[in-house]
Amino acid sequence: MQELIKGNKRFREKKFPELKENVEKLVKDGQKPEVLFIGCSDSRVTPDIMLDVNPGDMFILRNVGNFVPPFKCDEDYHGSAAAIEYAVSVLEVKHIIVCGHSHCGACQSLYTEIPLEKEKVVHVKKWLELGSKAKERTLSLIKDPNDKEKLYRLTEKISVTYQLKNLLTYPDVKRRVDNGSLQIHGWYYKLEDGSIDCYDQETQKFKNLEECINGKWSQKNTKKK
Ligand code: ZN
């Protein structure tokens, strides 16, 4: 905790003065981010730092595994769905990025039996079901499931494509993707070197972000599958 307290002091003294003017404008006018970034809660994934953005640039949703639960209209508390709806229907973001990452504990956990010990992880167990299609697809593609490195890295990438499909179950996401006012993107962040790959719908492969800058996932692509 001491490190966090010192960190905030350093932030206020060094970084905040540079941001002050921009932040004052954002406070006065309200936020208008163009991007909803959906990333994993993993402490090694750092959206603001890895994309070098400023306050006001990205609305950020983080959860275990960067999963997107399918649209479900009931009386339960749906935190991730609420963030997606707010970004799309109220803030009217122009882009949604679903960003997976290497060495994702959530994707690795798909291959481990989680014991239901005293309901300690009952929500985690249920939540991980959102990765089960990615697991099935990966196992159908991979030659040697004992090659854990390949198994996990492929699962992490395939999971991103399933989360993009789930995004399109949200009526307002689908409507806005169809009318061209919203683009959705699948990214993959590599912890090892800080680089990002982007899902290219033409080749159905991930390529370097700079080569794939306009890469987006469209409704046409979903219908084809
Ligand atoms: Zn993760």
Side-chain angles (χ1 to χ4, degrees), residues 17-28:
E18 292 168 27
L19 302 170
K20 198 168 183 289
E21 201 182 322
N22 182 33
V23 170
E24 280 172 355
K25 197 171 179 301
L26 288 166
V27 171
K28 187 167 157 272

Side-chain angles (χ1 to χ4, degrees), residues 2-223:
Q2 284 307 315
E3 284 309 309
L4 300 185
I5 294 164
K6 281 188 216 156
N8 181 247
K9 190 166 184 286
R10 283 196 302 274
F11 170 72
R12 280 184 287 121
E13 287 170 358
K14 291 182 187 160
K15 187 79 185 165
F16 196 79
E18 292 168 27
L19 302 170
K20 198 168 183 289
E21 201 182 322
N22 182 33
V23 170
E24 280 172 355
K25 197 171 179 301
L26 288 166
V27 171
K28 187 167 157 272
D29 302 341
Q31 61 167 337
K32 194 66 188 150
E34 293 198 354
V35 174
L36 164 63
F37 182 95
I38 303 175
C40 187
S41 298
D42 191 303
S43 60
R44 300 161 298 178
V45 176
T46 54
D48 287 358
I49 299 174
M50 73 200 210
L51 296 168
D52 196 19
V53 293
N54 286 314
D57 288 345
M58 292 197 305
F59 195 71
I60 299 176
L61 163 63
R62 297 179 69 174
N63 62 36
V64 173
N66 47 266
F67 291 151
V68 175
F71 181 80
K72 195 177 169 198
C73 199
D74 61 22
E75 294 294 304
D76 219 331
Y77 301 106
H78 297 289
S80 294
I84 293 165
E85 279 182 5
Y86 187 74
V88 172
S89 305
V90 180
L91 296 174
E92 297 181 323
V93 295
K94 294 177 181 160
H95 301 270
I96 303 177
I97 297 160
V98 176
C99 187
H101 70 100
S102 60
H103 305 277
C104 182
C107 289
Q108 193 170 326
S109 301
L110 300 172
Y111 298 93
T112 320
E113 189 52 47
I114 300 174
L116 261 186
E117 188 204 332
K118 292 180 188 163
E119 300 185 346
K120 271 186 190 166
V121 287
V122 66
H123 294 101
V124 176
K125 197 175 163 93
K126 180 71 187 167
W127 184 251
L128 289 173
E129 286 176 12
L130 294 168
S132 59
K133 281 185 186 165
K135 176 184 171 180
E136 277 170 36
R137 177 85 181 130
T138 305
L139 287 172
S140 76
L141 291 173
I142 205 148
K143 289 187 186 106
D144 177 13
N146 292 316
D147 185 344
K148 300 294 182 199
E149 174 69 22
K150 277 198 183 136
L151 180 74
Y152 297 152
R153 297 302 81 82
L154 188 61
T155 308
E156 290 153 358
K157 289 179 176 172
I158 287 178
S159 173
V160 169
T161 68
Y162 279 103
Q163 309 315 321
L164 292 171
K165 285 183 186 179
N166 283 352
L167 263 182
L168 291 168
T169 62
Y170 290 74
D172 225 16
V173 172
K174 188 179 177 301
R175 181 185 65 78
R176 291 196 47 210
V177 167
D178 285 347
N179 74 21
S181 64
L182 175 68
Q183 293 182 3
I184 61 179
H185 313 261
W187 284 11
Y188 181 77
Y189 176 67
K190 283 174 277 182
L191 295 184
E192 293 89 337
D193 63 6
S195 66
I196 295 173
D197 289 344
C198 176
Y199 187 72
D200 176 48
Q201 62 175 335
E202 294 290 318
T203 57
Q204 302 199 351
K205 286 199 166 79
F206 281 83
K207 30 166 128 162
N208 184 275
L209 187 59
E210 280 157 49
E211 290 170 40
C212 196
I213 201 71
N214 293 314
K216 62 178 182 186
W217 179 277
S218 68
Q219 185 60 15
K220 196 172 104 222
N221 179 272
T222 317
K223 278 179 188 157

